[in-house]
Amino acid sequence: MKITALPRLVAVAALALVTSWAGLPAHAADDVVKSDNIRLEAHLDLPAGAAISSDIAFQGDYAYVGNFNGFSIYNIRNPKSPQLVSTVSCPGGQMDVTILGKLLVTSVDSSRNNDSCQSTPQSPALKDSWEGLRIFDVGDPANPRYVKSVETKCGSHTHTIVPAKGRDAKRFFYVYVSSYLPAADFPDCQPPHDLVSVVKVPVANPQAAAVVNTPVVFPDGGNETQPGLLLPTQGCHDITVYAAKDIAAGACMGDGVIFDIRDRENPRIKARTTDPNFAFWHSATFNNDGDKVVFTDELGGGVEAMCTAAQGPNRGADAIYEIRGHRLVFKSYYKISRPQTEQENCVAHNGSLLPVKGRDIMVQAWYQGGLSVWEFTDSSRPREIAFFDRGPINPSQIVLAGYWSTYYYNGYIYGSEIARGLDVLKVDDRRTNSANRVRVPLLNVQTQSRYPERGWGW
């Protein structure tokens, strides 16, 4: 989601149990409709000073949650009683977050007058404006320390940690920066912006982090003329890597792509597709084997009611593709089956896999459509397993809210609720319960690797 007009935005999640795209009555703001196999274990309100809760990363006993005014760190050793450890004020949306060791990397896609945490908004038409990555040392979770900024072309809407290869993985890592919305009068964001910024971060010396390449991934231009596009392809919105397979999936506005990332500093497209039902290729999730990918379509940019009966099941949905060499083969769409009201911003958004052996299952955020746990083992016949859905925060007008991200981590689902704060949920279902045996020490959702069957690993 790219926030460009705050007055248009929305606030929490939505509706009732049905099994088809038909009309159904609205329900009150705090009503919860859910399946019997999921329960809310804990909730913490947004910390003081936080605004628009965004993405989540995990490491050990901690969850790192971004918001448009900075980020917060939670101790989740007891998932049923999470504790706020610290909150950092450092404005600049969206504050996409990733964690590796003691380094927290954050994205700023909001033009600022400088790179400090005291910065104020400033027009990107001014050459001295700044946006890009901020890197923090969170070795002491109670006292995070800002250590480095890296300016990138058109800022950093989202970013992805990419492990270096072999022994180099202990010495440094890469960050793929996704950004867009160039303009002729923006000196640091010139069209055509068909590139990805590659940042190299030395683990022992993060102050030396720097852009090492800006490869043009669409040298002949992307999808720019398809009717109904929210924006033409200009770089990517989000990239998910599967480092062990040397591939990445790019959700690139008008295009869905698979990158070859054997040369980490020079990702190049190996497969590419478009879809007449997709308005904005937003994010991507590989299955555990890395031979399928689920792309999401953020129809309406996340700020509109796109889960109404009028929109139907194939727009603002997921598209499931099988990866066959240099081809992406479309198999089916998946969308929640509960139409939402006109007062609920709703569309496919961020989710992650559940580590269930032999099955492809993920949990996914749908803004005010709540969350859905669903299976795509049969790529042509996806089906829902569980859901949790609140009513609209404001029953008379659309206000930005709902789940930005819902991710599975070590037995629980964590939901970053834009307006309400942090939720912790538990699924109890025979189809998913084997995932409870799997423990990982680290989870940056856009940096995928094969889940172990049991025990530690990432």
Side-chain angles (χ1 to χ4, degrees):
M1 180 175 67
K2 180 111 173 173
I3 301 295
T4 56
L6 285 174
R8 297 177 59 209
L9 307 184
V10 193
V12 161
L15 220 16
L17 173 62
V18 293
T19 57
S20 64
W21 281 84
L24 83 172
H27 62 289
D30 288 316
D31 283 356
V32 173
V33 178
K34 69 179 190 67
S35 55
D36 291 339
N37 56 356
I38 191 169
R39 62 184 179 270
L40 181 66
E41 297 280 20
H43 170 81
L44 290 177
D45 290 342
L46 275 176
I52 307 182
S53 190
S54 58
D55 214 3
I56 319 174
F58 304 87
Q59 186 170 251
D61 292 333
Y62 295 94
Y64 304 82
V65 183
N67 72 82
F68 278 48
N69 282 342
F71 64 90
S72 298
I73 302 176
Y74 296 88
N75 187 319
I76 56 170
R77 184 169 186 172
N78 179 359
K80 296 182 180 182
S81 183
Q83 303 296 314
L84 178 66
V85 176
S86 61
T87 295
V88 171
S89 175
C90 200
Q94 305 183 140
M95 290 301 285
D96 200 25
V97 293
T98 54
I99 181 72
L100 188 60
K102 66 179 183 178
L103 299 180
L104 184 77
V105 183
T106 67
S107 280
V108 178
D109 191 23
S110 166
S111 188
R112 319 292 296 177
N113 68 331
N114 60 57
D115 65 353
S116 76
C117 287
Q118 292 73 46
S119 65
T120 57
Q122 179 171 289
S123 170
L126 299 176
K127 178 60 180 172
D128 66 346
S129 294
W130 179 91
E131 51 188 331
L133 297 178
R134 292 182 180 134
I135 302 173
F136 295 82
D137 182 329
V138 293
D140 179 357
N143 296 285
R145 183 170 58 90
Y146 184 15
V147 297
K148 175 67 175 178
S149 71
V150 180
E151 186 170 15
T152 56
K153 292 183 177 181
C154 297
S156 175
H157 191 66
T158 66
H159 72 268
T160 305
I161 284 182
V162 187
K165 305 188 78 169
R167 294 181 180 178
D168 285 338
K170 294 184 178 180
R171 297 175 48 236
F172 59 84
F173 59 89
Y174 293 102
V175 179
Y176 287 172
V177 174
S178 298
S179 55
Y180 56 101
L181 286 184
D185 61 340
F186 295 172
D188 297 322
C189 186
Q190 291 285 296
H193 183 71
D194 292 325
L195 56 83
V196 171
S197 294
V198 181
V199 176
K200 186 176 182 179
V201 183
V203 172
N205 184 22
Q207 291 83 355
V211 176
V212 293
N213 199 13
T214 53
V216 175
V217 294
F218 295 98
D220 300 320
N223 182 10
E224 299 177 351
T225 60
Q226 176 182 309
L229 288 180
L230 182 66
L231 287 170
T233 300
Q234 38 187 240
C236 295
H237 176 275
D238 210 345
I239 296 172
T240 296
V241 302
Y242 199 133
K245 286 180 167 282
D246 288 327
I247 58 174
C252 303
M253 301 175 198
D255 294 84
V257 305
I258 300 296
F259 290 107
D260 180 332
I261 61 168
R262 286 175 291 181
D263 181 348
R264 297 289 196 258
E265 296 185 11
N266 291 280
R268 59 182 181 84
I269 291 175
K270 64 178 288 186
R272 179 175 169 186
T273 191
T274 59
D275 186 327
N277 282 320
F278 263 44
F280 190 80
W281 295 71
H282 175 275
S283 54
T285 303
F286 289 107
N287 68 336
N288 202 36
D289 289 334
D291 57 9
K292 298 178 188 176
V293 62
V294 175
F295 286 105
T296 65
D297 174 24
E298 196 181 40
L299 176 69
V303 299
E304 296 182 12
M306 294 300 177
C307 297
T308 63
Q311 292 296 333
N314 296 338
R315 302 185 71 239
D318 298 316
I320 304 163
Y321 286 83
E322 293 182 354
I323 303 169
R324 300 180 186 172
H326 291 267
R327 293 189 303 139
L328 282 164
V329 179
F330 172 79
K331 302 302 293 184
S332 65
Y333 294 112
Y334 172 76
K335 190 173 183 179
I336 56 172
S337 60
R338 293 165 298 284
Q340 307 294 297
T341 69
E342 295 286 353
Q343 290 72 45
E344 294 170 290
N345 60 309
C346 177
V347 75
H349 214 235
N350 296 343
S352 75
L353 289 184
L354 275 67
V356 179
K357 183 180 178 181
R359 304 178 84 157
D360 300 325
I361 298 174
M362 67 179 291
V363 59
Q364 186 171 3
W366 291 82
Y367 288 110
Q368 290 204 72
L371 69 82
S372 176
V373 179
W374 62 285
E375 180 170 6
F376 58 104
T377 306
D378 181 343
S379 304
S380 299
R381 300 182 64 186
R383 57 178 181 168
E384 188 169 71
I385 291 173
F387 69 92
F388 182 89
D389 186 5
R390 292 187 179 99
I393 269 186
N394 190 323
S396 61
Q397 64 179 346
I398 198 164
V399 180
L400 182 65
Y403 287 123
W404 181 289
S405 301
T406 55
Y407 296 149
Y408 183 92
Y409 181 66
N410 292 347
Y412 291 83
I413 292 169
Y414 295 82
S416 174
E417 216 290 350
I418 291 170
R420 285 193 171 104
L422 180 69
D423 284 343
V424 184
L425 302 101
K426 182 74 172 179
V427 175
D428 183 4
D429 189 280
R430 61 177 178 77
R431 293 164 288 186
T432 63
N433 285 347
S434 63
N436 294 330
R437 299 195 299 267
V438 178
R439 291 292 183 270
V440 296
L442 174 72
L443 182 64
N444 295 304
V445 168
Q446 285 75 39
T447 306
Q448 285 191 234
S449 60
R450 187 174 182 83
Y451 272 109
E453 291 184 11
R454 63 175 63 207
W456 289 87
W458 77 285

